Amino acid sequence: DVKVTQSSRYLVKRTGEKVFLECVQDMDHENMFWYRQDPGLGLRLIYFSYDVKMKEKGDIPEGYSVSREKKERFSLILESASTNQTSMYLCASSLGRGRSDTQYFGPGTRLTVL
Amino acid sequence: GENVEQHPSTLSVQEGDSAVIKCTYSDSASNYFPWYKQELGKRPQLIIDIRSNVGEKKDQRIAVTLNKTAKHFSLHITETQPEDSAVYFCAAGYNNNDMRFGAGTRLTVKP
């Protein structure tokens, strides 16, 4: 059974702080994704990675960066948190590049920026 | 890039009735169309998917249809039950690397 975990369920930060959200998957998946989920907007892709040290911008990469130093771990970084980044952040992973595969989601991190 | 629109945003049905959720997509290259169910406070989970070489797929009370010419696909739930109440997301993409999600449909099944 695929397991995707995220470092925190709830996080409260102040404007201007640097924020790290971590995601770990245990199924040797090649693809990993970061989404944010906001009411009425669905799931919007921030960044994805199809290999270690590889990253691709999604639809809303501004204000975010990512790091994938190891295959199982994909980190989302908010360099200087702002109130409009208050959201639910979901990480996902899927099996392999170039395949149509199920995405498995983590439990989500609800980030509040004050 | 791909753009996915989903309708309706909210749907309320009586237990036992059918529910239909519709999505349209913009990129004719998209070949994978999953549907996810997200219960309150939980992560999205795949409930059914369809690939572009198939027009319809069923799994018990759930079915998905795909019309590639019109670029739309639909989720059909028959004999709805209260436990079907959740937010449903459609998605479309090519080989999973460029998946885009719809805005979601909040389904409420009234007992």
Side-chain angles (χ1 to χ4, degrees):
Chain A
D1 202 21
V2 177
K3 191 171 182 183
V4 181
T5 57
Q6 294 182 228
S7 49
S8 305
R9 288 302 302 273
Y10 300 94
L11 209 51
V12 180
K13 295 291 182 181
R14 296 206 173 275
T15 301
E17 280 193 79
K18 191 168 186 176
V19 182
F20 292 88
L21 302 181
E22 294 210 318
C23 176
V24 177
Q25 49 91 8
D26 67 355
M27 284 301 291
D28 203 33
H29 282 179
E30 293 184 22
N31 296 338
M32 296 189 75
F33 309 83
W34 274 106
Y35 297 91
R36 62 178 284 177
Q37 182 177 19
D38 300 288
L41 296 176
L43 292 153
R44 292 183 292 166
L45 183 65
I46 304 172
Y47 268 98
F48 66 97
S49 168
Y50 52 83
D51 202 352
V52 175
K53 296 192 186 294
M54 303 300 286
K55 61 184 180 184
E56 294 283 344
K57 291 181 180 179
D59 294 325
I60 51 165
E62 296 79 19
Y64 303 95
S65 63
V66 291
S67 172
R68 192 156 180 212
E69 296 296 318
K70 293 184 178 181
K71 192 174 185 179
E72 67 270 19
R73 190 179 299 268
F74 192 35
S75 301
L76 180 69
I77 304 155
L78 287 67
E79 294 290 340
S80 178
S82 63
T83 55
N84 62 13
Q85 291 178 311
T86 292
S87 187
M88 170 68 84
Y89 290 87
L90 286 160
C91 172
S93 71
S94 69
L95 183 59
R97 184 182 178 187
R99 304 183 205 177
S100 302
D101 287 316
T102 303
Q103 291 192 21
Y104 295 89
F105 286 85
T109 296
R110 185 166 293 283
L111 173 67
T112 302
V113 183
L114 302 175
Chain B
E2 179 62 271
N3 181 48
V4 178
E5 294 193 358
Q6 183 172 346
H7 300 282
S9 57
T10 60
L11 180 59
S12 181
V13 299
Q14 286 295 135
E15 183 177 358
D17 287 350
S18 295
V20 180
I21 302 170
K22 298 181 180 181
C23 289
T24 61
Y25 61 99
S26 61
D27 190 347
S28 56
S30 289
N31 63 359
Y32 180 57
F33 307 92
W35 286 88
Y36 289 82
K37 175 183 180 182
Q38 186 176 27
E39 297 177 27
L40 190 63
K42 297 188 177 180
R43 70 191 75 188
Q45 292 196 306
L46 181 78
I47 54 171
I48 194 167
D49 58 12
I50 191 166
R51 301 176 197 274
S52 58
N53 58 345
V54 176
E56 184 176 1
K57 184 177 178 180
K58 285 185 180 179
D59 182 4
Q60 299 182 335
R61 296 185 297 108
I62 294 173
V64 58
T65 58
L66 171 65
N67 183 327
K68 285 222 73 179
T69 303
K71 294 207 279 277
H72 66 71
F73 56 112
S74 301
L75 178 72
H76 304 252
I77 307 174
T78 58
E79 300 172 23
T80 53
Q81 301 167 3
E83 51 265 39
D84 294 329
S85 296
V87 177
Y88 291 82
F89 293 99
C90 64
Y94 179 74
N95 286 342
N96 205 17
N97 286 348
D98 292 304
M99 299 300 295
R100 295 296 185 271
F101 286 77
T105 296
R106 181 174 300 280
L107 173 64
T108 303
V109 180
K110 299 178 181 177

